[in-house]
Amino acid sequence: MTEAVFAGSAEGASPEEAGLRYEVDGEIATITLDRPDKRNAQTFATWSALARIGDSLPQQVRVVVIRGEGPSFSAGIDLRMFTPEGVPGQGSFASSATLGDSAFEQRIAQAQRGFLWLRRPDIVSIAAVQGHAIGAGFQLALACDLRVLADDAKLCMKEPALGLVPDLTGTKPLVDIVGLPRALEICLTARTVGAEEAARLGLAELVVAPDELAGAVRDLAAALLAVNRDAATATKRLLQGAAGRTLEEQTAAERHEQVARVKALFAGS
Ligand code: ACO
């Protein structure tokens, strides 16, 4: 199969065709994985549609919620990818294996684009996770800034058990949050992490009863929206850069951001 055929219809699919529901209500955008009968399994079309939503997010949006319809947040990549027939219009791992290395890496980069925008400083992304979040599902939750879990949530980095590596941007946040030894243990055993342990490890900001999940996310979004928008963006930028900077560099970054803030708030007063 050629790259063009592999890319296929995944590129142009609407959110609905890609199994997503997308709603914007004022400053909050909600993306719902909406294939509950298939436990919200994800395909290249899902990731393309996510990337396009990121590209065209209305300027007023400050909070992006990602949730899953039905009993599971997401059971990960569509298992048809492992079959010779693959996902109609999107190929299979067998067809991907016939691509040149750089064409295949480019294809993965396109998929990763669906996840990367969720870290943008001008938004805060929240994953609302109930039931299973497996493989690509766990990585989608990790791509978000914050995670609110129902107490029945089950997180699993299944990829190594299937002979793959996690490649949908999840390895860095996982290591950043839980540290290298725990990340290694979770990934290389492909075990399930329950909600209570997830909270202990910092993988969940909040754990609530399943019927309280939507309300807890709404309350969190409201609290995030209550602070000054530009201060929130600048603060997120500062915090995101902190791990990669020395104390001296970080304090310089704080000064730089604060000068801009104070001037925006008080210049001319
Ligand atoms: N891809 C495609 N279809 C799926 C997937 C998937 N990843 N997961 C579930 N489904 C489908 C099932 O085939 C079934 O379809 P059917 O009703 O047409 O037979 C339906 O969703 C319901 O699945 P059940 O297994 O019956 O649901 P249950 O609630 O008992 O179990 C669970 C849920 C645990 C998530 C189970 O479906 C499962 O283990 N799925 C596969 C998980 C997986 O290995 N994902 C790949 C991870 S690696 C990665 O993402 C890169």
Side-chain angles (χ1 to χ4, degrees):
M1 179 174 286
T2 65
E3 188 189 359
V5 174
F6 178 57
S9 59
E11 297 313 308
S14 68
E16 292 73 22
E17 286 165 339
L20 296 177
R21 225 166 55 232
Y22 170 48
E23 292 142 326
V24 176
D25 181 8
E27 295 175 303
I28 303 178
T30 303
I31 301 169
T32 302
L33 302 166
D34 196 18
R35 286 212 296 156
D37 52 323
K38 298 296 176 194
R39 301 298 182 264
N40 301 322
Q42 302 174 37
T43 66
F44 276 93
T46 315
W47 304 324
S48 281
L50 280 173
R52 280 199 308 281
I53 289 172
D55 289 343
S56 61
L57 200 67
Q59 222 245 320
Q60 83 267 13
V61 170
R62 294 180 57 191
V63 171
V64 175
V65 176
I66 306 229
R67 59 181 295 279
E69 198 62 63
S72 298
F73 177 71
S74 172
I77 196 166
D78 194 312
L79 293 176
R80 288 176 299 175
M81 283 295 292
F82 291 86
T83 66
E85 300 76 31
V87 178
Q90 299 181 52
S92 63
F93 281 124
S95 60
S96 310
T98 67
L99 294 171
D101 288 2
S102 89
F104 192 12
E105 283 192 27
Q106 215 181 327
R107 190 75 190 117
I108 297 172
Q110 280 177 29
Q112 290 170 332
R113 234 168 57 73
F115 295 66
L116 285 170
W117 66 273
L118 292 161
R119 284 109 167 159
R120 264 168 40 181
D122 58 321
I123 56 169
V124 180
S125 50
I126 306 171
V129 180
Q130 81 286 3
H132 290 96
I134 303 177
F138 188 11
Q139 293 193 70
L140 185 56
L142 283 166
C144 292
D145 296 311
L146 306 173
R147 281 152 292 281
V148 180
L149 267 51
D151 60 19
D152 68 348
K154 297 174 192 68
L155 314 177
C156 172
M157 202 65 93
K158 183 86 173 282
E159 286 83 345
L162 299 172
L164 302 173
V165 299
D167 67 345
L168 293 168
T169 79
T171 56
K172 184 163 173 53
L174 183 64
V175 171
D176 286 348
I177 295 168
V178 304
L180 177 58
R182 182 61 72 194
L184 263 175
E185 183 266 327
I186 287 170
C187 292
L188 300 195
T189 63
R191 74 174 171 91
T192 296
V193 177
E196 191 194 320
E197 183 186 3
R200 226 179 325 116
L201 293 176
L203 288 167
E205 274 55 57
L206 195 61
V207 175
V208 297
D211 63 353
E212 291 169 7
L213 184 60
V217 169
R218 252 195 322 274
D219 290 349
L220 177 56
L224 291 163
L225 291 174
V227 306
N228 177 287
R229 175 181 195 142
D230 295 330
T233 300
T235 302
K236 181 172 171 184
R237 216 169 21 228
L238 264 181
L239 296 173
Q240 282 181 316
R245 296 193 194 104
T246 63
L247 180 59
E248 193 181 27
E249 290 164 345
Q250 183 68 6
T251 48
E254 289 174 356
R255 293 194 295 274
H256 178 75
E257 294 285 8
Q258 194 70 307
V259 166
R261 285 283 65 242
V262 171
K263 286 196 172 178
L265 289 172
F266 300 107
S269 64

